[in-house]
Amino acid sequence: MEKLLKELQAAELERQTRRYFLQTLGAGIGSLGFGSLLSSCGYFEKDKVASAPLQLADAMGVRLPQFAPKAKQVIYIHMAGAPSQLELFDYKPELEKYHGKDCPAEFLEGKKFAFIKGVPKMLGPKGKFAQHGQSGAWISDYLPYLQTVADDVSFVKAMYTDQFNHAPAQLLMHTGSARLGRSSMGAWTVYGLGSENKNLPGFIVLASGGKQPDAGKSVWGSGFLPTVYQGVQCRTGGDPVLYVSDPQGMNRDIRKQTIEAINEINKQAYEEVKDPEILTRISQYEMAFRMQMSVPEVMDVSKEPQYILDMYGVKPGEGSFAMNCLLARKLVENGVRFVQLFDWGWDTHGTSEDGSVEIGLHKKCQASDQSVTALLKDLKMRGLLDETLVVWGGEFGRTPMQENRDGQVLPYSGRDHHLEAFTVWMAGGGVKKGFSIGETDPLGYYGVKDRTHVHDLQATILHLMGFNHEKFTYPFQGRNFRLTDVAGKVIRPILA
């Protein structure tokens, strides 16, 4: 009841603001001028306001894509910090020969690095590589489980980006821009396709590793899209979503009446000011109420067979990356359109044992390899892999040189951030099996064949979901925006 009174007080105070005054000025000059300004900012437009109730009612309903999709849902696994491709997938025997030698001048002249100063030494790969599966994919001994599903995976080996710092690079990867304010890939996907389960958010985020991504929650934000499409972060311990349980002393009927009363106030406010975000808020309150029953049930793994828990390496009641992988399968199985997994701690500069490519990176692989592979096998076993696109990668690559922070030799082997080359792999939903595209030079510095940009990856994901990335747009601030900004091309050779 106290919260309801606060809602009433907040609504009354809002009516006393300058914005409310200008919005409610009949045909006055202030109303015309301010209305034009809001329209140009995408705040509201006359045509949109007229159809807003219909848009809200169908905001999360299933919608048809622009053409027949190959995938129905996406599981995007982001290893925040950027794993070294040279230890995992991009085998460079020539780099072993150059180990300990001065870095070639052409790798340094006119280049910018996050931390390297002067002339660093070359660093040979720490993983032991071998070819696996009928495809002959090169995968190191850091990932023994992934080796067993090599023929289900396609590698994109000459990916490049524009950003060498974590936060802007993560923003670019997930929103198409290194600056704050753009809509995330998951938000775009749900905006375009809606959700198959009205009791669950269409876009759910699961984070592990003890910290959030460097770019914060903006990497799953809605940006300029209606906020109903932003990612909902769930926890793997306690309540999956904070405050999803009924407060002590309040039963479900009272909770329902409270939400209905709040939404009645919101509807009255919408009728007066026609702000579409009020409709979004109504939708979110209603979704939150439905989630009270659906989310705890979906996030409960206690009914999973023991062999499934063992396959993933899950310990019930313990939040972990392995748990998140299992939950990702359960979520897509229940109609969630886009599941985003973030795992922090893949930044290996060589400044510490945990931050080294010979120890820290190996530990991170040991903690994730089994569960990622189990996810692929589990999806395949249930007939879900063909309709679920799984993407794995970081925000940029690592240099073939040993990092020498401030020109000093570091105590462990590490690699600096690298723009020019990194590896992302994809599986399921419309991509070829056991395929590899892209090639880097003998030392793994530059992409020399079939280079692909971050925008190309985004264009490909949208294509697999049934959208032409150039025509999938949203009007904002006077122009049509898209996930891929003004660039990007579909990586067609990887399509099945």
Side-chain angles (χ1 to χ4, degrees), residues 257-309:
Q257 292 171 12
T258 302
I259 290 175
E260 288 175 346
I262 292 171
N263 277 348
E264 184 58 38
I265 296 170
N266 286 330
K267 288 174 184 176
Q268 291 177 14
Y270 172 75
E271 290 301 321
E272 294 182 11
V273 300
K274 303 299 183 184
D275 181 354
E277 276 301 301
I278 297 176
L279 296 176
T280 294
R281 192 175 190 189
I282 293 171
S283 177
Q284 288 171 328
Y285 270 116
E286 292 171 347
M287 171 62 77
F289 181 70
R290 295 194 298 270
M291 284 169 59
Q292 284 189 279
M293 295 295 291
S294 57
V295 170
E297 181 179 348
V298 173
M299 303 289 281
D300 181 12
V301 301
S302 63
K303 296 179 182 179
E304 291 288 327
Q306 188 60 45
Y307 78 92
I308 290 290
L309 300 178

Side-chain angles (χ1 to χ4, degrees), residues 214-243:
D214 298 80
K217 298 183 179 181
S218 296
V219 289
W220 59 79
S222 60
F224 43 69
L225 291 174
T227 51
V228 71
Y229 300 116
Q230 70 185 7
V232 174
Q233 185 177 5
C234 290
R235 307 186 305 162
T236 53
D239 280 346
V241 179
L242 290 175
Y243 311 116

Side-chain angles (χ1 to χ4, degrees), residues 451-468:
R451 296 177 78 224
T452 48
H453 188 265
V454 166
H455 288 315
D456 301 334
L457 177 65
Q458 294 161 348
T460 305
I461 293 172
L462 289 180
H463 177 85
L464 291 168
M465 298 299 286
F467 291 99
N468 180 333

Side-chain angles (χ1 to χ4, degrees), residues 427-447:
V431 300
K432 290 179 179 176
K433 298 178 180 180
F435 184 74
S436 180
I437 183 174
E439 184 179 331
T440 57
D441 64 64
L443 298 182
Y445 190 96
Y446 291 107

Side-chain angles (χ1 to χ4, degrees), residues 92-103:
K92 295 300 172 184
E94 282 294 311
L95 188 57
E96 294 183 34
K97 300 176 184 178
Y98 276 81
H99 179 76
K101 296 182 180 180
D102 286 347
C103 178

Side-chain angles (χ1 to χ4, degrees), residues 39-303:
S39 176
S40 69
C41 293
Y43 190 78
F44 70 80
E45 298 175 24
K46 183 177 179 181
D47 293 340
K48 285 190 175 184
V49 169
S51 61
L54 177 62
Q55 290 176 356
L56 175 69
D58 196 41
M60 299 304 290
V62 176
R63 290 185 291 281
L64 294 176
Q66 294 169 341
F67 51 84
K70 295 292 184 70
K72 289 176 58 179
Q73 55 260 333
V74 177
I75 297 175
Y76 196 117
I77 305 169
H78 184 98
M79 303 317 209
S84 170
Q85 75 283 2
L86 295 168
E87 267 64 49
L88 303 181
F89 309 115
D90 201 8
Y91 179 43
K92 295 300 172 184
E94 282 294 311
L95 188 57
E96 294 183 34
K97 300 176 184 178
Y98 276 81
H99 179 76
K101 296 182 180 180
D102 286 347
C103 178
E106 61 265 29
F107 288 179
L108 303 173
E109 292 174 356
K111 303 295 182 183
K112 291 182 178 180
F113 300 96
F115 297 103
I116 284 177
K117 302 292 183 184
V119 180
K121 302 292 184 181
M122 301 302 289
L123 178 62
K126 296 299 178 182
K128 295 180 180 179
F129 282 81
Q131 290 180 283
H132 297 275
Q134 293 183 351
S135 62
W138 288 100
I139 304 176
S140 85
D141 60 348
Y142 278 32
L143 300 169
Y145 287 92
L146 192 69
Q147 292 172 354
T148 66
V149 293
D151 288 337
D152 288 317
V153 174
S154 282
F155 296 93
V156 184
K157 288 193 173 181
M159 186 75 63
Y160 69 100
T161 182
D162 306 329
Q163 303 295 323
F164 61 70
N165 286 322
H166 295 292
Q170 289 168 3
L171 284 170
L172 179 63
M173 178 63 74
H174 295 284
T175 73
S177 172
R179 298 180 178 180
L180 295 169
R182 296 292 182 89
S183 307
S184 64
M185 196 184 312
W188 275 107
T189 303
V190 181
Y191 165 66
L193 295 175
S195 177
E196 293 186 329
N197 189 333
K198 66 178 183 179
N199 295 324
L200 288 171
F203 178 18
I204 288 182
V205 180
L206 301 167
S208 56
K211 293 185 180 180
Q212 301 282 7
D214 298 80
K217 298 183 179 181
S218 296
V219 289
W220 59 79
S222 60
F224 43 69
L225 291 174
T227 51
V228 71
Y229 300 116
Q230 70 185 7
V232 174
Q233 185 177 5
C234 290
R235 307 186 305 162
T236 53
D239 280 346
V241 179
L242 290 175
Y243 311 116
V244 73
S245 300
D246 289 323
Q248 187 175 0
M250 177 180 284
N251 61 36
R252 190 160 174 78
D253 289 337
I254 296 176
R255 186 77 174 262
K256 182 179 180 180
Q257 292 171 12
T258 302
I259 290 175
E260 288 175 346
I262 292 171
N263 277 348
E264 184 58 38
I265 296 170
N266 286 330
K267 288 174 184 176
Q268 291 177 14
Y270 172 75
E271 290 301 321
E272 294 182 11
V273 300
K274 303 299 183 184
D275 181 354
E277 276 301 301
I278 297 176
L279 296 176
T280 294
R281 192 175 190 189
I282 293 171
S283 177
Q284 288 171 328
Y285 270 116
E286 292 171 347
M287 171 62 77
F289 181 70
R290 295 194 298 270
M291 284 169 59
Q292 284 189 279
M293 295 295 291
S294 57
V295 170
E297 181 179 348
V298 173
M299 303 289 281
D300 181 12
V301 301
S302 63
K303 296 179 182 179

